[in-house]
Amino acid sequence: MTISKTYDPREAEEKWYSYWMEKKFFHSEPDDREPYTIVIPPPNVTGVLHMGHMLNNTIQDVLVRRARMKGFNACWVPGTDHASIATEAKVVAMLREKGISKRDLTREQFMEHAWEWKKKYGGIILEQLKKLGASCDWERQRFTMDPALSDAVIDTFIHLHKKGLLYRSLRMVNWDPVGRTAVSDEEVIRKEVNQKLYYVKYLVAGSDPEAEWVTIATTRPETIMADTAVCVNPSDTRYTHLQGKTLIVPLVDRRIPVIADDYVEMDFGTGCLKVTPAHDPNDYELGLKHGLEVIDILTEDGRLNEQARVCVGEDRFAARKEVARLLSEAGLLEKIEDYKSQVGFSERTDAVIEPRLSLQWFVRMKDLAAPALEAVEKGEVQLIPSKFTATYRYWMEHVKDWCVSRQLWWGQQIPAWYDTQGDYVIAKTAEEAVAMFAEKGNSLTRNDIHQDEDVVDTWFSSWLWPISVFDPSVFGDPKNPGNADLRYYYPGNDLVTAPEILFFWVARMIMAGLEFRGEIPFRNVYLTGIVRDKQGRKMSKSLGNSPEPQGLIDKYGADGVRVGMLLSSPAGNDLLFDESYCEQGRNFANKIWNAYRLIKGWEVATAAGEKKSATNGNTEAIAWFESRFRAELENIEQLFAQYRLSDALMAVYKLVWDDFCSWYLEMIKPDYGKPMDPDTHGATIAFFEDLLKLIHPFMPFIAEELWHELAERDEKDCIIVTAWPRQQAFNRERLDEMERVIGVVSQLRNIRNEKQIPFKTELPLSVRSANQDMYRRYEPVIRKLAHTGPLQLVNEQAPGVAFLVGTDEFFTDLGSNIDMKAERERMSKELIYLQGFLRSVQAKLSNERFVQNARPEVVENERQKKADAEAKINALEKNLAGLE
RNA sequence: GGGAGCUUAGCUCAGCUGGUUCAGAGCACCUGCCUUACAAGCAGGGGGUCACUGGUUCGAACCCAGUAGUUCCCACCA
């Protein structure tokens, strides 16, 4: 049977993923093992996989697979988020295409359409994760609007209300005119925008219109019809005479007072501020303070209403231009300047946020934030990398109340019930509400009350995610046996997510965990970087700079892509994604594949005489690689402990490629046509198996494929559930020895390269050293890798080219093929370097302050360096003299 | 405006408590090789004033101060 020269991932990926599913290797049930839990950051149910998901889920899968192999009961819970604004917007758009308007539908009808949509498109992203190899427990898949999870949301709403942490209030909120809903402060993204600053004249009432006016600078001329005052700084002498006077609002001729308040900066614009309480949060505050009228001139979708009297029905941005034109016509527009300022955009719809006065529900955050901050400060929850702790602290200390109501249907309906007077109670059902009204002495029937039309913010359900995926009752209903899961899996171990949602989600989960369970939701938060393109731009659909994940998987294999994602993305660092990383991953898979091909091709000797590996150097090679593996395993474990996954991967990469393939396999490779002795063969298979185990979390498919190729396995003997290699003591001396041997081989290869001596030509080799016995042991290795003749042990300088490995002197006689002059030059150069080095060491040692102040081991080290250098110089000088 | 981080090879990044021949890795690059596992490969090699300036120290990529550039977070100057 011939084996393909390159690894073909496609078949293996399909085969093994379904095999793992079939054998339920991803599924977890509580047992007596220690749990290892990750809950997936639930992607938007209508979303498709993008590069951020690829990175994020690769990392989670690496952690989960390793934990599983380490003997933990690993459970990775997948699921999706209902993402109320985004999804509702998509459903509305879909309906519009069908010629249906949301307004024509009842809430129930709309929800039917929405669920249908969810059913149709909701699973796409999770299917894509399977292609990546994500070993989620699909039997535990959850959705934030599953009935039970929604129940939990309502329960927590009621709980917070009872505790006085939730209230309803008329406030200036961030209004998204496209989504037609309020959004929280965190959902507003500020961006710098080029704007215009309009200088508008307001005439003073009762004076000669030509004679007296004030000029006011504004970026929003379309709101002047809502002005109810003009404000100046009380100590601004330019305007003292105006205080108490009345101005005329342009275009609508309304009379408004001039008021004074320190809030106004004298040196911005003209020092005069138009006050529009309905459309600016600061103006609203000013209005409250000064008892101003509130005139709301905007509709919920951002158009001007009848109150505006001008441009009625026009969109706010069209109206801005139109009002400017009208002002200009009226001779009231003094000038327009370019101006840059920060404008808020809706995170979900990208619409410009409109401050809007409305009645909304708020969560009082201060008391929730304090313990959540403490959990991070005390290290109970660890942020990785820790640099995010400072930002986290700042946010928690300056947290503002959270507007949780959304004027949408897709989500959990707020459990507030109103009577006809607008009086309300918070209750889970209408019946309970009626009873609660009755208790208040308000005797009503079911038909007299109605439920709040709004739903809660999506994050108000996702902050429960680490709890509700295990026990939807959240508070641990003793009647619900499901909370055995919660007791077992909660709190989770690691959470892997993007820093962008540290406050949206992570902080709130910590609050919810502490508030509702009295316990943190997870111990470590691994914050990934943002995936950017090569030019450092964030990958986005609109830029079209994001590769299609499935296309990448088709091209490089899932393993290759996983490696590509990880290679250059240390925690918290942005990843400048480049396809060539995936190529490197694919090449690595191919390298592993070919190592397998080599081993597979060996014929194993059965003759008694061939069983011994002692004479061919294999014993040394095996002993070395065993120690090499153990040493590197120790290093890899440390890297994992620090969540340095890309470094861990690189360590595995080098262990496989360099140590195993380039050195070990070359050392033990039998001559052409010769069989392999069984001892070496057995040891090599065992090494390869151990390496596959280390490879598996990163590249699960090829690891599983080769695991089964290497040996006959029982049905359930899969690498995914095989025990991770155990850390064991290693022999440092072996490592040091082989390091020297490798040094000798490298030097000889170098000489061949320089002198253009083909590998076929055997090189003579002599050594003068105190370690001659050691070199004798490794002689077969050196002869094989460097193709030298028998190793001559000498006590004097031998003819030919000389080189040093440590302080051991080697000589190879190249006969006439030697350029004496060049050799002298090379050696002189080295000599000069060594002499310089020695001088610096001597300088250090003769410095009394160094010897006194430095730690003793440092001084000792310097002495050693000095002795080494002296020995080397001595050898070099002699060799140089010998060349004369 | 406030805060945090970053600046090391052509690129992406390691470099722990200041001290090992400490200036590293991967990729890219250059040279030579189709050697019977792998050209998606093998062997070898060249690349850096550790952003800049000053300070502390016996000793600084590492600690301190300042400067420049850069990224992110936060913030209601119309």
Side-chain angles (χ1 to χ4, degrees):
Chain A
M1 184 188 84
T2 54
I3 312 165
S4 163
K5 275 175 94 168
T6 52
Y7 168 62
D8 177 19
R10 202 168 310 228
E11 199 189 324
E13 287 175 10
E14 221 153 276
K15 177 173 68 184
W16 292 114
Y17 201 85
S18 41
Y19 192 81
W20 291 329
M21 290 283 277
E22 193 188 307
K23 298 291 174 213
K24 295 189 179 294
F25 288 141
F26 302 161
H27 181 60
S28 166
E29 287 293 335
D31 60 22
D32 50 7
R33 286 176 296 168
E34 195 181 324
Y36 173 86
T37 313
I38 293 189
V39 294
I40 202 169
N44 181 339
V45 69
T46 62
V48 289
L49 201 70
H50 59 63
M51 296 306 287
H53 294 122
M54 298 277 279
L55 173 63
N56 196 277
N57 288 289
T58 297
I59 291 167
Q60 290 176 72
D61 199 42
V62 169
L63 295 173
V64 167
R65 284 179 183 271
R66 176 164 169 276
R68 197 180 284 122
M69 291 174 80
K70 292 205 87 161
F72 293 97
N73 185 349
C75 185
W76 181 12
V77 184
T80 46
D81 188 298
H82 67 281
S84 57
I85 299 183
T87 307
E88 180 152 331
K90 282 197 180 170
V91 174
V92 167
M94 180 267 297
L95 288 171
R96 197 183 306 125
E97 263 175 41
K98 289 187 183 170
I100 305 169
S101 159
K102 182 186 164 189
R103 288 152 188 267
D104 298 338
L105 298 176
T106 64
R107 187 178 194 119
E108 287 68 33
Q109 286 169 329
F110 177 84
M111 290 300 273
E112 241 172 73
H113 283 292
W115 278 108
E116 212 173 288
W117 162 276
K118 186 256 169 188
K119 221 162 128 191
K120 198 165 166 190
Y121 301 105
I124 294 176
I125 195 159
L126 298 181
E127 288 308 311
Q128 289 177 303
L129 283 184
K130 293 178 184 172
K131 298 272 186 266
L132 186 66
S135 61
C136 306
D137 185 350
W138 296 107
E139 288 173 47
R140 291 182 177 273
Q141 187 175 324
R142 299 283 186 268
F143 175 52
T144 50
M145 262 173 80
D146 283 341
L149 275 76
S150 285
D151 246 26
V153 171
I154 300 308
D155 287 343
T156 51
F157 191 98
I158 294 167
H159 167 96
L160 290 175
H161 184 260
K162 272 189 195 148
K163 274 190 85 171
L165 292 174
L166 201 142
Y167 62 94
R168 190 176 191 230
S169 164
L170 181 73
R171 283 232 207 142
M172 194 60 99
V173 295
N174 307 296
W175 186 263
D176 176 342
V178 170
R180 300 193 192 190
T181 178
V183 296
S184 68
D185 292 340
E186 291 71 41
E187 285 165 298
V188 179
I189 314 291
R190 285 177 193 283
K191 298 184 214 169
E192 193 169 74
V193 168
N194 288 317
Q195 296 214 88
K196 305 267 184 226
L197 197 54
Y198 300 84
Y199 287 80
V200 183
K201 287 182 184 175
Y202 283 52
L203 303 182
V204 178
S207 73
D208 178 353
E210 302 293 315
E212 219 182 345
W213 68 80
V214 290
T215 305
I216 289 162
T218 177
T219 54
R220 305 201 57 190
E222 76 279 13
T223 63
I224 63 175
M225 293 81 82
D227 288 354
T228 52
V230 163
C231 191
V232 297
N233 193 296
S235 44
D236 192 339
T237 50
R238 292 174 298 175
Y239 299 115
T240 317
H241 66 286
L242 282 177
Q243 287 178 29
K245 291 211 172 160
T246 300
L247 300 178
I248 302 170
V249 179
L251 306 183
V252 291
D253 284 340
R254 200 155 27 71
R255 310 284 149 133
I256 57 171
V258 176
I259 59 171
D261 197 291
D262 305 337
Y263 166 72
V264 178
E265 305 275 338
M266 301 194 328
D267 52 3
F268 184 87
T270 61
C272 277
L273 171 73
K274 72 190 211 46
V275 184
T276 320
H279 300 296
D280 183 284
N282 301 305
D283 292 10
Y284 179 66
E285 292 303 316
L286 270 179
L288 284 181
K289 195 168 161 189
H290 297 270
L292 300 175
E293 193 189 346
V294 177
I295 303 174
D296 186 342
I297 61 159
L298 288 173
T299 63
E300 61 172 25
D301 58 345
R303 286 173 300 117
L304 271 62
N305 65 22
E306 290 74 18
Q307 298 241 62
R309 290 164 52 197
V310 177
C311 298
V312 173
E314 275 189 51
D315 179 78
R316 51 198 166 135
F317 298 109
R320 181 172 304 171
K321 286 184 186 148
E322 181 60 11
V323 166
R325 197 183 62 80
L326 291 172
L327 288 170
S328 175
E329 265 178 16
L332 297 172
L333 187 60
E334 205 163 80
K335 60 177 174 177
I336 303 176
E337 281 177 354
D338 285 331
Y339 182 67
K340 269 189 186 156
S341 74
Q342 300 279 329
V343 175
F345 290 81
S346 168
E347 203 246 344
R348 293 286 185 186
T349 67
D350 209 36
V352 173
I353 290 296
E354 193 63 57
R356 189 167 202 242
L357 202 56
S358 60
L359 259 179
Q360 305 283 351
W361 292 94
F362 294 87
V363 174
R364 226 180 281 284
M365 296 298 270
K366 234 182 131 190
D367 292 350
L368 292 174
L373 173 58
E374 199 185 308
V376 168
E377 302 238 279
K378 278 175 148 178
E380 289 163 25
V381 176
Q382 209 165 350
L383 303 185
I384 301 157
S386 57
K387 67 176 178 186
F388 287 105
T389 310
T391 336
Y392 179 87
R393 181 185 312 116
Y394 183 89
W395 191 78
M396 295 307 250
E397 281 170 354
H398 296 81
V399 67
K400 284 193 229 141
D401 284 358
W402 174 17
C403 174
V404 292
S405 41
R406 297 289 181 275
Q407 287 62 54
L408 301 165
W409 284 343
W410 180 243
Q412 290 90 8
Q413 194 171 356
I414 288 174
W417 304 81
Y418 303 88
D419 65 8
T420 45
Q421 314 297 311
D423 202 14
Y424 65 85
V425 295
I426 304 295
K428 195 157 185 177
T429 62
E431 290 66 38
E432 278 178 42
V434 168
M436 287 173 84
F437 274 118
E439 242 170 73
K440 287 166 102 182
N442 191 353
S443 174
L444 298 164
T445 68
R446 171 68 186 83
N447 290 330
D448 298 327
I449 60 171
H450 67 276
Q451 187 173 0
D452 197 310
E453 286 295 312
D454 295 349
V455 297
V456 290
D457 181 7
T458 302
W459 300 104
F460 194 84
S461 60
S462 28
W463 73 335
L464 303 177
W465 186 248
I467 308 172
S468 60
V469 293
F470 293 115
D471 185 355
S473 75
V474 173
F475 295 108
D477 178 356
K479 284 174 290 181
N480 185 349
N483 66 24
D485 272 1
L486 187 62
R487 272 203 313 270
Y488 183 72
Y489 292 112
Y490 188 91
N493 297 71
D494 298 328
L495 178 84
V496 180
T497 192
E500 300 159 296
I501 54 174
L502 185 57
F503 309 131
F504 270 124
W505 192 45
V506 178
R508 287 178 185 150
M509 279 190 288
I510 299 173
M511 293 180 202
L514 291 169
E515 173 65 22
F516 303 128
R517 291 297 309 170
E519 210 179 348
I520 51 163
F522 32 70
R523 296 185 190 94
N524 303 294
V525 180
Y526 180 110
L527 296 153
T528 65
I530 295 167
V531 182
R532 298 174 181 278
D533 68 9
K534 258 181 117 174
Q535 289 134 57
R537 299 175 305 177
K538 199 170 160 178
M539 284 195 171
S540 74
K541 252 191 236 159
S542 51
L543 274 173
N545 58 352
S546 177
E548 170 58 46
Q550 188 56 52
L552 285 178
I553 292 176
D554 291 343
K555 202 164 164 192
Y556 301 104
D559 290 335
V561 175
R562 291 164 66 109
V563 168
M565 298 307 308
L566 281 174
L567 268 183
S568 73
S569 74
N573 274 23
D574 284 0
L575 160 60
L576 298 190
F577 182 79
D578 184 338
E579 266 194 47
S580 67
Y581 291 124
C582 294
E583 201 179 325
Q584 196 181 345
R586 180 202 59 182
N587 293 355
F588 184 39
N590 201 46
K591 185 70 188 178
I592 299 165
W593 176 256
N594 277 291
Y596 155 70
R597 279 182 69 215
L598 176 68
I599 293 169
K600 186 77 180 172
W602 284 335
E603 187 193 327
V604 183
T606 46
E610 312 239 30
K611 275 193 178 165
K612 290 290 163 219
S613 52
T615 54
N616 56 9
N618 288 7
T619 309
E620 268 63 39
I622 292 166
W624 165 70
F625 191 76
E626 182 184 80
S627 278
R628 184 70 199 92
F629 180 90
R630 291 175 179 183
E632 200 52 38
L633 178 63
E634 192 174 298
N635 180 37
I636 289 165
E637 291 291 310
Q638 274 171 22
L639 292 169
F640 269 115
Q642 296 167 73
Y643 289 82
R644 298 176 64 151
L645 303 194
S646 25
D647 291 337
L649 169 58
M650 188 44 70
V652 172
Y653 180 94
K654 287 195 275 191
L655 181 64
V656 171
W657 201 309
D658 299 342
D659 295 307
F660 187 65
C661 293
S662 297
W663 290 109
Y664 175 76
L665 288 180
E666 293 298 334
M667 284 176 201
I668 59 145
K669 194 155 97 178
D671 291 338
Y672 184 61
K674 294 273 178 62
M676 161 73 73
D677 71 84
D679 291 353
T680 305
H681 187 258
T684 305
I685 298 279
F687 289 152
F688 201 42
E689 286 184 342
D690 273 347
L691 289 171
L692 287 175
K693 292 174 192 171
L694 301 189
I695 291 165
H696 168 260
F698 303 105
M699 309 171 85
F701 294 110
I702 191 172
E704 193 70 86
E705 174 75 10
L706 293 183
W707 180 255
H708 292 271
E709 289 295 330
L710 273 187
E712 284 293 315
R713 309 276 179 190
D714 291 340
E715 204 186 359
K716 291 219 158 185
D717 181 5
C718 289
I719 201 161
I720 186 175
V721 288
T722 295
W724 186 257
R726 206 161 41 86
Q727 282 192 70
Q728 297 176 75
F730 57 89
N731 185 336
R732 182 156 318 267
E733 203 183 332
R734 283 280 182 189
L735 296 177
D736 292 344
E737 287 173 359
M738 192 59 93
E739 205 174 310
R740 284 173 190 244
V741 169
I742 284 174
V744 174
V745 172
S746 297
Q747 293 257 33
L748 285 166
R749 282 171 174 172
N750 194 2
I751 288 167
R752 274 184 196 282
N753 234 296
E754 275 176 17
K755 310 271 185 275
Q756 303 273 324
I757 304 168
F759 188 75
K760 275 176 279 187
T761 312
E762 188 181 274
L763 293 178
L765 184 66
S766 317
V767 59
R768 176 168 69 173
S769 153
N771 304 308
Q772 286 178 333
D773 291 346
M774 186 271 277
Y775 286 111
R776 183 59 85 201
R777 271 193 289 128
Y778 286 91
E779 182 182 353
V781 174
I782 295 171
R783 291 190 66 176
K784 188 169 187 176
L785 295 186
H787 194 197
T788 60
L791 182 65
Q792 309 290 333
L793 307 181
V794 296
N795 294 316
E796 292 303 323
Q797 182 187 0
V801 175
F803 60 89
L804 283 173
V805 173
T807 52
D808 303 329
E809 294 166 71
F810 289 83
F811 310 93
T812 178
D813 190 353
L814 305 177
S816 56
N817 195 350
I818 179 167
D819 180 346
M820 296 298 281
K821 197 172 157 233
E823 279 312 305
R824 266 199 300 277
E825 260 173 38
R826 184 177 62 81
M827 289 163 87
S828 309
K829 245 183 170 173
E830 199 177 343
L831 190 58
I832 289 167
Y833 170 78
L834 279 170
Q835 284 163 339
F837 175 71
L838 180 61
R839 268 197 299 278
S840 81
V841 173
Q842 278 169 333
K844 246 187 221 183
L845 283 170
S846 57
N847 181 336
E848 265 177 53
R849 294 169 71 179
F850 169 72
V851 180
Q852 277 168 11
N853 296 334
R855 287 199 311 269
E857 61 268 31
V858 173
V859 178
E860 185 44 46
N861 220 319
E862 291 300 316
R863 295 219 165 92
Q864 189 59 50
K865 276 155 72 177
K866 177 168 173 266
D868 266 17
E870 281 168 350
K872 281 186 187 180
I873 287 167
N874 193 275
L876 262 178
E877 276 172 344
K878 275 196 203 151
N879 290 333
L880 251 179
L883 283 181
E884 297 303 328

